[in-house]
């Protein structure tokens, strides 16, 4: 499948090479109210139905489905999985946040910018459905509050509390602020204490980043909340990525009864393409973009994007997992690098390159190791991935040794890649298999869930009748559960569109319940009212962890010295001595043409600490003095800008 370059989501494939390949091309645009539309799309699906094949045996647990809420249209959970559903195992409570009008059944405002919620305090058995309003936008796109879009939510539970009535539910949502016309430009957040009679709080933050936050999670031991959004250069969703991610750290304010969020700018560079600019996979499509998560100790965390680390590392334009790590709760971040996926030829068809697809999810286990669930497949040309069955798979890409080594475990080769909901209308929504990861509160088990269609049973080649599929890991023993179809033969059989999975499961020993919801939608029309349904009884037990894994090592590509463009002036970059101090440190680099040279030093918070303009320099090797006197001790990124290129290195100032 031809993957997006920010504003273009191309599902076109080289049909001449593969007779079974389905072809589609969708040019993504953003409408004036912030909804994502796919215009000028065609979808010529392969009509050859494969031989009968079930997608894994069904679960043996008793599953029930409950209506928990409604939305005015399908967009509230559309365009990639986010944290719309959240469970707190400490108090056996589950919540979901979703867009709607004020009350279900009344005529929705034209903007539908309110947020409602559903709540269960008995582990999902019974629900208070369609509760309103958690957030009130006043139905306008102006002050005092703007309309909400694509909401996420969670549960704040005070340390040691066992009574759900003493907890609070909270939400974070991008908003359509007037400060940036009618597009994104703000974030609304607030909370509701679950004590009877409480009133929700709501606050709006203005931001220059015209994109939606992609992940929301809580660090268990501190109860701090984190979400992240990538930064764009231009005032539209077609702007370039600007090498920084805004990470918001929320600390609970007992006086106001909500999280106070403090943003930090984290330097997270990728390489660019001279013809199309600098992008990370998911930006502009709301598919994922950037994920951040923390270990139970709340100090160790990881952040991941899908980007290209540099054409000096890999000539073709493929998306690779790029990773940062923190060991101080997000105060500072260090680049681990990108992951080379060449070794996946052991489980995927032989190919020159492999590329990740648009969606991922991230959790961190009890040992401080990351687990990133993602789709990876054969890449045939620039920024592409094949969606032919067998050419791609769902993987757990995980670390050992706290990020010192990385591996990929194939979870499954799904039968269907994606589906265009409402393709015949003016507002189609492209959905893929929405891979999501969850952990126990202690981080000793990791659960991977994705959504796939039994293409033989439903006589289709797309993902229009998805079931929830799961494979899980016992972190302590290293054993896996076999893939299981959680919803086959239940009321949710083939119905799990827009599936949402909580980042935390219920239960801590023996039996673990995976909180999951989906939307009952009209596949032909995404603009009409949808129903949110909760699926209870999705269980994995300790007895199921019996399968030995088959991990594939993924070498780390160190991105120090990345060149941003194909046509570069800077060929290498070295700083010595390192650690550096005082005035007389040396920058060594080579240029293939005369250029004006500017050097910037950026601290680990993404703040510009020093700029030096060296003027016009001749081609060839250069040795320049670098003065770091007066800078605080710590790690700095050195960016050398020469002509149309940028090279990056790292120094420690002592």
């Amino acid at each position: 499948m031809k993957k997006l370059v920010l504003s273009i989501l191309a599902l076109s494939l080289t049909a001449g090479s593969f007779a079974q390949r389905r072809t589609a091309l969708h040019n993504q645009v953003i409408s004036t109210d912030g909804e994502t539309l796919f215009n000028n799309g065609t979808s010529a699906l392969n009509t050859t139905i494969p031989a009968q094949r079930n997608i894994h045996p069904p679960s043996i647990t008793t599953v029930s489905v409950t209506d928990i809420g409604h939305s005015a249209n399908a967009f509230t959970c559309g365009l990639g999985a986010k944290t719309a559903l959240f469970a707190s195992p400490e108090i056996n409570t589950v919540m979901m946040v979703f867009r709607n009008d004020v009350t279900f059944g009344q005529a929705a405002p034209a903007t539908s910018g309110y947020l409602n919620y559903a709540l269960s305090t008995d582990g999902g058995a019974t629900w208070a459905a369609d509760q309103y309003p958690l957030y009130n936008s006043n139905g306008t796109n102006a002050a005092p509050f703007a309309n909400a879009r694509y909401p996420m939510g969670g549960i704040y539970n005070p340390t040691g509390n066992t009574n759900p009535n003493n907890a609070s539910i909270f939400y974070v949502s991008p908003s359509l602020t007037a400060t940036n016309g009618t597009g994104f430009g703000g974030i609304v957040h607030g909370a509701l204490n679950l004590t009877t009679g409480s009133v929700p709080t709501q606050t709006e933050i203005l931001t220059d980043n015209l994109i939606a936050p992609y992940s929301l999670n809580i660090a268990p031991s501190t109860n701090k909340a984190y979400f992240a959004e990538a930064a764009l250069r231009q005032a539209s969703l077609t702007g370039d990525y600007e090498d920084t991610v805004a990470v918001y750290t929320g600390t609970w304010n007992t006086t106001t009864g909500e999280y106070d969020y403090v943003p930090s700018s984290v330097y997270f560079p990728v390489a660019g393409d001279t013809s199309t600019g600098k992008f990370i996979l998911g930006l502009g499509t709301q598919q994922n973009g950037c994920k951040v998560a923390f270990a139970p100790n709340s100090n160790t965390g990881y952040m991941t994007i899908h980007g290209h680390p540099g054409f000096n590392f890999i000539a073709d334009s493929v998306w690779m997992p790029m990773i940062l790590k923190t060991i101080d709760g997000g105060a500072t971040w260090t680049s681990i690098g990108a992951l080379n996926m060449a070794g996946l030829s052991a489980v995927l068809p032989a190919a020159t390159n492999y590329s990740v697809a648009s969606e991922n999810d991230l959790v961190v286990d009890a040992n401080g190791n990351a687990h990133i669930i993602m789709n990876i497949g054969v890449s045939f040309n620039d920024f592409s991935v094949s969606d032919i069955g067998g050419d791609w798979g769902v993987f757990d890409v995980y670390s050992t040794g706290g990020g010192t080594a990385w591996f990929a475990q194939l979870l499954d080769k799904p039968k269907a890649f994606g589906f265009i909901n409402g393709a015949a209308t003016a507002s189609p929504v492209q959905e893929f298999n929405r891979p999501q990861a969850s952990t126990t509160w202690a981080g000793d088990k990791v659960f991977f869930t994705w959504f796939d269609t039994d293409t033989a049973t439903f006589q289709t080649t797309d993902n229009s009748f998805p079931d929830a599929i799961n494979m899980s890991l016992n972190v302590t023993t290293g054993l896996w559960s076999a893939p299981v179809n959680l919803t086959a033969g239940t009321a949710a059989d083939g119905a799990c569109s827009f599936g949402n999975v909580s980042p935390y499961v219920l239960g801590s020993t023996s039996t673990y319940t995976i909180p999951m919801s989906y939307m009952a939608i009209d596949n032909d029309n995404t603009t009409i009212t949808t129903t949110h349904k909760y699926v209870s009884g999705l269980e994995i037990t300790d007895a199921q962890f019996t399968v030995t894994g088959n991990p594939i090592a993924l070498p780390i590509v160190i991105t120090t010295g990345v060149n941003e463009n194909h046509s570069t002036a800077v060929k290498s970059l070295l700083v010595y001595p390192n650690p550096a101090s005082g005035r007389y440190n040396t920058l060594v680099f080579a240029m293939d043409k005369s250029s004006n040279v500017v050097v910037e030093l950026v601290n680990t918070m993404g703040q510009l600490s020093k700029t030096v303009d060296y003027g016009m320099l001749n081609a060839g090797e250069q040795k320049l003095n670098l003065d770091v006197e007066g800078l605080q001790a710590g790690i700095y990124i050195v960016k050398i800008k020469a002509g149309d290129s940028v090279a990056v290195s790292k120094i420690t100032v002592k």
Side-chain angles (χ1 to χ4, degrees), residues 365-456:
D365 68 25
N367 297 326
N369 287 309
H371 295 265
I372 314 168
I373 183 172
M374 63 180 74
N375 299 328
I376 306 174
V378 172
S379 177
F380 293 99
N381 46 48
D382 285 358
F383 298 110
S384 71
V385 59
S386 170
D387 70 349
I388 300 174
D391 277 5
W392 64 284
V394 181
F395 290 83
D396 170 25
V397 173
Y398 67 94
S399 67
T400 60
T404 57
W406 290 80
F407 299 86
Q409 170 66 50
L410 176 65
L411 304 177
D412 194 20
K413 291 185 179 180
K415 305 301 183 289
F417 197 87
F419 179 61
I420 305 173
N421 298 273
T425 71
S427 300
V429 183
Q430 174 77 58
E431 282 300 325
F432 301 104
N433 64 334
R434 296 171 72 95
Q436 295 168 72
S438 314
T439 68
T440 55
W441 194 246
D444 60 333
K445 310 290 191 307
V446 183
F447 306 83
F448 303 95
T449 307
W450 61 96
F451 298 86
D452 189 18
T453 293
D454 187 335
T455 54

Side-chain angles (χ1 to χ4, degrees), residues 214-229:
Y214 295 96
S215 61
L216 173 69
N217 216 325
I218 289 179
S221 67
T222 62
N223 266 329
K224 288 188 176 182
Y226 295 85
F227 67 91
E229 63 172 354

Side-chain angles (χ1 to χ4, degrees), residues 2-24:
K2 195 90 165 167
K3 289 316 292 176
L4 75 172
V5 178
L6 186 60
S7 62
I8 298 178
L9 177 60
L11 300 174
S12 63
L13 303 164
T14 53
S17 301
F18 296 91
Q20 299 301 309
R21 184 161 299 169
R22 53 197 177 105
T23 303

